[in-house]
Amino acid sequence: MGFSIGCSLGSHVLVRNTGKFPPLCRKERLNLSTMCSEFNKPCKIRVSLCKSELVDFDERTSPTEIRKEIGRCYELIHRLGRGVVYLGSSRMGPDHPHYSQALELGREVANLLDCTSWTGAGPGLMDAATKGALEAGKPVGGFKIAKEAGEWTASNFHSYLPSETYLTCRFFSARKHGLVDAAVRSSCSDRTAVVALPGGIGTLDEMFEILTLIQLQRIGSELPVPFLVMNYDSYYQKLLDFLGDCENWGTVSKGEVASLWKICENNSEALAYLADFYGLPSSGEERHEVSLHVKIE
């Protein structure tokens, strides 16, 4: 056989091409009927033949493999330092107005907090935040994944970031551990934050996972972590309206969500909020005045 197949009842199983057959397009699917020995009866298994998928079925179900990758995420954070974690769309390119806003925000936040900026190391708004931080001359780290913007990437390597500054994750769970840990504050000197830029399903998934961890006090941070939602052009307004409906239905406590994050309509609001949160001057001019004052004294 040319493919190694993992079988489980009713599973969606990923299969690796062993090289005896030519690779198939990611959109091609085979529906196979096989016998599952455990139940001794036929079962339908849907098999995805994705040549770009790097995770074998055995690896995907191995807690040891996942723990190893989580460990590598933590090692990278230890080397580069915790900081601001950006979540956002991989589909909004340089021609989108939110891209330029995200780039500016990445640059100004890096200058304000003087910390590492963390992203998914992918295209779109993640790329904008990365470039903004690099323009500020501050450290950048990333947790890359093999599939972005609905497409498999041509390479697991970033086009311009040094290889020692990012990790290409095979497991989304490990990537999420990394994104969360990068924002943790263990001392008053840590200046971290989570910034949710406009995004789709993946961004919403990450947003609400982190929000839940904060709500349940399970994020692992000894000190509060600011969580900013960038509501550019009222992008998230319908989501906020829905959460308001949840309050009316009683599934969310009144004012609970609002107390967990800060909604920012523009970059100025975000910078002012972070400056106030960390007791910092809110503009480059004010920082310059403080520096002159210190020199005079």
Side-chain angles (χ1 to χ4, degrees):
M1 292 295 290
F3 299 96
S4 57
I5 301 178
C7 171
S8 65
L9 185 62
S11 294
H12 183 186
V13 183
L14 295 174
V15 178
R16 176 177 287 180
N17 190 341
T18 59
K20 295 184 180 180
F21 296 113
L24 300 179
C25 171
R26 65 175 176 276
K27 294 184 179 178
E28 291 184 84
R29 298 288 184 265
L30 294 180
N31 287 322
L32 305 179
S33 293
T34 186
M35 295 294 293
C36 294
S37 59
E38 182 180 352
F39 297 93
N40 196 29
K41 61 180 181 180
C43 64
K44 183 78 71 175
I45 294 183
R46 189 178 178 215
V47 180
S48 297
L49 300 179
C50 302
K51 66 177 182 179
S52 300
E53 176 57 71
L54 301 178
V55 183
D56 281 333
F57 181 76
D58 288 343
E59 292 176 323
R60 179 65 184 84
T61 58
S62 168
T64 301
E65 290 297 318
I66 297 173
R67 279 197 298 268
K68 287 180 182 177
E69 188 159 282
I70 293 173
R72 288 193 287 270
C73 290
Y74 288 173
E75 289 170 6
L76 181 62
I77 295 167
H78 180 73
R79 282 197 292 108
L80 298 182
R82 291 175 169 133
V84 179
V85 174
Y86 291 91
L87 316 173
S89 173
S90 58
R91 301 173 191 259
M92 293 177 172
D95 58 340
H96 197 285
H98 293 171
Y99 184 97
S100 58
Q101 289 173 288
L103 190 150
E104 178 193 33
L105 183 66
R107 181 179 64 246
E108 295 304 315
V109 168
N111 278 324
L112 176 69
L113 300 187
D114 190 24
C115 65
T116 304
S117 296
W118 291 91
T119 73
L125 299 190
M126 290 179 288
D127 183 64
T130 296
K131 287 182 176 176
L134 290 176
E135 286 183 6
K138 305 300 180 182
V140 170
F143 299 105
K144 187 175 171 57
I145 203 73
K147 191 173 187 179
E148 295 287 2
E151 297 292 335
W152 294 102
T153 55
S155 170
N156 289 324
F157 299 99
H158 197 278
S159 57
Y160 57 84
L161 286 178
S163 59
E164 66 271 14
T165 64
Y166 68 91
L167 177 67
T168 300
C169 297
R170 296 176 297 159
F171 307 106
F172 268 95
S173 54
R175 187 197 199 196
K176 286 182 177 180
H177 273 282
L179 290 172
V180 170
D181 188 71
V184 165
R185 296 179 62 214
S186 58
S187 70
C188 293
S189 61
D190 290 330
R191 295 175 183 172
T192 73
V194 176
V195 178
L197 300 162
I201 294 174
T203 301
L204 291 172
D205 173 44
E206 292 160 351
M207 284 173 61
F208 280 97
E209 176 156 346
I210 295 174
L211 190 71
T212 301
L213 292 174
I214 294 174
Q215 178 197 38
L216 299 178
Q217 298 180 354
R218 292 295 184 272
I219 196 171
S221 181
E222 296 181 18
L223 298 171
V225 177
F227 190 148
L228 285 68
V229 178
M230 303 310 298
N231 193 32
Y232 295 147
D233 301 315
S234 300
Y235 181 87
Y236 282 114
Q237 192 54 53
K238 290 185 178 180
L239 174 63
L240 300 175
D241 292 342
F242 167 73
L243 293 173
D245 289 339
C246 289
E247 289 188 357
N248 295 333
W249 282 103
T251 54
V252 174
S253 299
K254 291 287 184 181
E256 181 179 20
V257 176
S259 69
L260 300 176
W261 59 20
K262 170 65 176 177
I263 309 301
C264 301
E265 303 299 327
N266 52 57
N267 290 349
S268 296
E269 287 187 15
L271 292 166
Y273 178 79
L274 288 173
D276 181 68
F277 188 94
Y278 285 110
L280 301 170
S282 59
S283 70
E285 181 179 351
E286 289 174 334
R287 288 196 298 272
H288 180 63
E289 289 177 357
V290 170
S291 177
L292 288 177
H293 182 67
V294 171
K295 288 180 180 178
I296 291 172
E297 289 185 342

